[in-house]
Amino acid sequence: MLIVMRNSATEADVRTVEDMVRAMGFRPHAMPGAVRTAVCVLGNDRQVDGGPFEALPCVREVIHVTKPYKLVGREFHPDDTVVRVGPVSIGDGNLTIMAGPCAVEDEEQIVSTAVFLARNGAAALRGGAFKPRTSPYSFQGLGLEGLKLLAAARDASGLPVVTEVIDEKSVELAVDYADMLQIGTRNMQNFSLLKIVGQTRKPVLLKRGMSATVKDLLMSAEYIASEGNENIVLAERGIRTFSDASRNTLDLCAVPSIKEKSHLPVLADPSHAMGVWDKVLPVARAAVAVGADSLMIEVHPNPAAAKSDGPQSLKFEMFAALVAEVKAVAAAMGRSLTVLGG
């Protein structure tokens, strides 16, 4: 339920409504707007009687929210959310590109990549310091040393840093170094981890699980938002289907579907979806065409020697070509590419 206050409502009026919600056994969530404040009722699994609130002179109307994802749904929040990651805005109508290697390997690798990306169209640097891998014998990342190298790359390039967290300890370390925390596909429904990143107030990139529905993704985002953090970008990175044409199937239909249901920005990750470098560009073009707010592209100075996901990583010159093409697609739709300039 959404309780919309009148323009003339005071802070005391809002507190009165919040106290009434608590007295009913639910949790209030006040959302100040440009014109008026609304109070969302959280924790109810059934329709709540809005009569007591409608009787208050400070209440304009009561709206019953039908979707289980209240905070991240458009019923509750009809306007698009713009997420700030350092100096970069995601969801403001323009296109942003996050790029970088799957894993941070050494200083030369990550710094040289970051400097190149900043000069060639990227708005954020992504790189893994903690790597949850299918095999326990695969490279697991450099941990804290990797975070420090990402910070050095940010200093050298000016790009904000996006990195994955996998547990409470990695969150505690990453908040001091990263500008955005990524929840990977394997952890999309790790609800304890979602609550922890929600409490950090850091922007969060939430990747769709490999077998998750759009509703599952939005409910996971609700966990983060319910902790007070609505700075969330939703990522479509491909799901498992019967098709063997690619590593995963990039669900392009999910992009407009999510944007219809949620006010949060949507990112597409063609690298993880396709699994091979030469298919990344055409799928990236398509993702921009269906309205993705952002792209995540894996880039490595020497993909053949990469410790993780080399086959899907683009060389520097390939990334520059991709930027030129997706920029043209965005321009055809009246959108610009967000560039920091390095």
Side-chain angles (χ1 to χ4, degrees), residues 60-110:
R60 180 175 180 268
E61 63 178 326
V62 173
I63 301 172
H64 291 286
V65 179
T66 60
K67 299 292 190 297
Y69 40 86
K70 296 177 174 63
L71 297 178
V72 304
R74 282 204 183 272
E75 286 182 294
F76 174 68
H77 192 309
D79 297 326
D80 290 342
T81 286
V82 178
V83 175
R84 294 280 299 180
V85 183
V88 176
S89 295
I90 302 175
D92 63 356
N94 294 320
L95 174 68
T96 63
I97 299 178
M98 301 179 185
C102 178
V104 179
E105 298 168 0
D106 56 54
E107 184 172 8
E108 171 61 26
Q109 172 240 21
I110 194 63

Side-chain angles (χ1 to χ4, degrees), residues 212-282:
T213 65
V214 166
K215 180 181 177 181
D216 292 335
L217 175 63
L218 294 175
M219 291 306 299
S220 290
E222 189 79 6
Y223 266 91
I224 299 170
S226 69
E227 295 295 330
N229 186 357
E230 295 178 25
N231 297 307
I232 307 165
V233 176
L234 303 172
E236 166 56 43
R237 47 77 69 197
I239 55 176
R240 284 188 172 176
T241 69
F242 61 84
S243 174
D244 61 358
S246 57
R247 179 183 180 186
N248 296 291
T249 298
L250 189 67
D251 186 5
L252 290 176
C253 298
V255 176
S257 177
I258 293 170
K259 293 179 78 67
E260 177 188 31
K261 294 175 173 63
S262 175
H263 53 88
L264 300 176
V266 181
L267 172 147
D269 180 354
S271 297
H272 279 91
M274 302 312 294
V276 288
W277 66 268
D278 61 338
K279 302 298 189 300
V280 173
L281 173 54

Side-chain angles (χ1 to χ4, degrees), residues 20-191:
M20 290 175 63
V21 172
R22 293 188 187 96
M24 291 180 171
F26 305 120
R27 182 155 59 94
H29 182 88
M31 291 288 293
V35 178
R36 59 177 62 89
T37 295
V39 179
C40 184
V41 178
L42 303 177
N44 58 304
D45 55 3
R46 55 181 170 79
Q47 184 165 304
V48 178
D49 180 14
F53 299 103
E54 292 174 323
L56 297 175
C58 60
V59 172
R60 180 175 180 268
E61 63 178 326
V62 173
I63 301 172
H64 291 286
V65 179
T66 60
K67 299 292 190 297
Y69 40 86
K70 296 177 174 63
L71 297 178
V72 304
R74 282 204 183 272
E75 286 182 294
F76 174 68
H77 192 309
D79 297 326
D80 290 342
T81 286
V82 178
V83 175
R84 294 280 299 180
V85 183
V88 176
S89 295
I90 302 175
D92 63 356
N94 294 320
L95 174 68
T96 63
I97 299 178
M98 301 179 185
C102 178
V104 179
E105 298 168 0
D106 56 54
E107 184 172 8
E108 171 61 26
Q109 172 240 21
I110 194 63
V111 172
S112 65
T113 300
V115 170
F116 170 82
L117 293 174
R119 295 172 178 169
N120 288 273
L125 172 68
R126 59 94 63 189
F130 304 95
K131 299 303 301 178
R133 307 296 298 280
T134 302
S135 170
Y137 309 113
S138 299
F139 178 60
Q140 304 291 312
L142 297 179
L144 178 58
E145 180 60 24
L147 293 174
K148 293 178 179 179
L149 293 177
L150 283 168
R154 176 177 54 211
D155 292 341
S157 66
L159 297 180
V161 167
V162 183
T163 196
E164 184 171 358
V165 290
I166 59 174
D167 54 23
E168 185 172 2
K169 181 179 179 180
S170 63
V171 173
E172 291 174 353
L173 293 173
V175 291
D176 292 330
Y177 295 92
D179 299 286
M180 185 179 213
L181 306 179
Q182 175 183 309
I183 299 294
T185 183
R186 294 172 178 82
N187 276 315
M188 190 206 80
Q189 290 183 308
N190 183 341
F191 301 125

